Amino acid sequence: MYKSLLTFPLWVALLGAPVASATDAANTEGLFKEHCAGCHGTTRTGAMGPALLPENLSRLRKKEAIEVIGHGRAATQMPAFSEKLTTAQIASLADLIYTAPPVSPAWTIDDIRTSQVIYHPEGSLPDKPKYQADLQNLFIVVELGDHSATLLNGDTFEPIHRFKTRFALHGGPKYSPDGRYVYFASRDGWISKYDIYNMEFVAEVRAAINTRNLAVSYDGKYAIVGNYLPHNLVILDTRDLSPVKVINVEDEAGTSSRVSAVYTAPPRQSFIAALKDLKEVWEIPYDNNPEFKVRRIKVDDYLDDFFFDPSYKHLIGASRDSDDGQVVDMDAGKKTHTVDLAGMPHLGSGITWEYQGKPILATPNLKEGQISFIDMTTWKVIKRIETKGPGFFMRSHENTPYAWVDVFFGPNKDLMHIIDKRTLEIVKTLQPAPGKTAAHVEFTQDGKYALMSIWDMDGAVVVYDANTFEEIKRIPMKKPSGKYNVFNKTTYSRGTSH
Ligand code: DHE
């Protein structure tokens, strides 16, 4: 209690919110140059340390930022400044990094080229794996806790190798079609290519200052990176991650937009991007389109999140501020249906299966504890079920009659529901580690085992028998987030994300 009297919020409460003067701002800039710029870059776009711009800090509350500046960050090179700086100075630095600079920083194709690092030129590493394992049943597990990833054997559930990644990976890593390489994206725009056979990074490039996600073309030749900062899409040559083209995302009038997400659409031989600030969906064919010309499809609303039907003929998109989802016929190039989807459906985490002879889509909801089931022939919601709280990830597999969905938010975050795909009812609720978030399931190649994350620094991947729901094994890990099975991802299983 006594200690808290000395801390910033009380100081603010007693004196009132400080009025920033030009001198204060200049002093804070000076502090930043002296203590922070060396690692985070003079323009805050990041260097050895991560970028410190509002877009890059969206997952970190200001209170936590103040804590990190004062006391450092474990398992990184971020030192503690509480001995060097006053509480007020630390608070002013936190204010600075959550304020957009007067001029948005640029990141040009030359910056991208300059950032490229080639550790092993193409063809210089052996083609034979350095270990014995079924290469189709490997997993990459991302461990957010200390910015690492584990290569896991999906038959024995033994880790093969653990390695450091870039800071704050986000979104699913994407495999090359043969499963030998995996591509990671970090929120700071770093794209890394990792050789799973040799357990080495082969190339890295910084494609942007703030990235949403990346997708890899069906033929494996290109990667595309969708960005918030700058407002663009960057196409890379997957051989060494050289930039091939930067596509500025703007409409005909020159209004620019952030990219919500970009995915590959295998049967269409194209990439498809949803935009956050323009009412357009973009399709970029990569076959017979050397200039990567964009096909623009007008839609009724901005799209924050979207999903495809298994044929990739329809896109189902949702805006976080609307009660409706939109169905876009990708061949006709127009919106054809509206889906009644209230709350904040997490379509990106939706999955599909056949129910009573019809394809259905099931999606959790980030705001409400419910799962919606949508008939993909009529685009009507055929059922909603209540869950113990809003969920983030839903997963299944062709060989299991069950779908697993987490309760990511709220007091029941330690629960995981299992839904029978034949009845659309919850048949079991697991609580693998009381008090700790249970999240994100991915199946083995044959669908016999389900791997679940205990999303905690003192966490684990828990392996379950997917039929009996019995726990088989607990593999200790540091805040494991997503896990990605080579076969399920490269064959575009209907039970997982693509
Ligand atoms: Fe994600 C995937 C968007 C916050 C963990 N997340 C995705 C994808 C999108 C997305 C568009 C699909 C990209 C892909 O896989 O190629 N995520 C968003 C948001 O808009 C949101 C709500 C806010 C934000 O700040 O970006 C958000 N996401 C989070 C988190 O807070 C999570 C839980 C922790 C983190 O890493 O920051 C998180 N998102 C994930 C994971 C995936 C993901 C683990 C990949 C899931 C998969 O199985 O493919």
Side-chain angles (χ1 to χ4, degrees), residues 59 170 172 174 187 212-213 263 320 395 440 484 497:
R59 307 303 306 153
H170 176 241
K174 303 291 152 64
R187 287 193 185 259
R212 291 309 287 160
N213 77 322
Y263 296 106
R320 302 238 158 109
R395 291 287 179 266
H440 195 283
Y484 309 88
S497 61

Side-chain angles (χ1 to χ4, degrees), residues 105-115 206-207 209 230 232 243 246:
W107 196 256
T108 65
I109 195 159
D110 286 338
D111 293 316
I112 302 173
R113 279 199 191 104
T114 310
S115 71
R206 190 168 187 196
I209 298 170
N232 66 20
V246 173

Side-chain angles (χ1 to χ4, degrees), residues 345-372:
H346 196 212
L347 287 171
S349 186
I351 53 172
T352 70
W353 66 83
E354 297 298 309
Y355 172 71
Q356 298 184 349
K358 287 180 175 178
I360 62 164
L361 156 66
T363 170
N365 199 298
L366 297 175
K367 256 192 202 158
E368 288 160 28
Q370 66 176 30
I371 308 294
S372 307

Side-chain angles (χ1 to χ4, degrees), residues 58-59 144 169-172 174 187 212-214 228 260-263 276 304-305 320 346 366 392-393 395 408 440 442 455 481-484 489 496-498:
S58 63
R59 307 303 306 153
L144 284 182
L169 296 185
H170 176 241
K174 303 291 152 64
R187 287 193 185 259
R212 291 309 287 160
N213 77 322
L214 110 153
Y228 267 9
S260 303
V262 60
Y263 296 106
K276 237 182 164 66
D304 287 303
D305 205 1
R320 302 238 158 109
H346 196 212
L366 297 175
F392 217 104
F393 301 107
R395 291 287 179 266
F408 200 85
H440 195 283
E442 177 79 43
W455 202 289
S481 57
K483 55 208 79 59
Y484 309 88
K489 294 293 174 185
T496 191
S497 61
H498 302 147

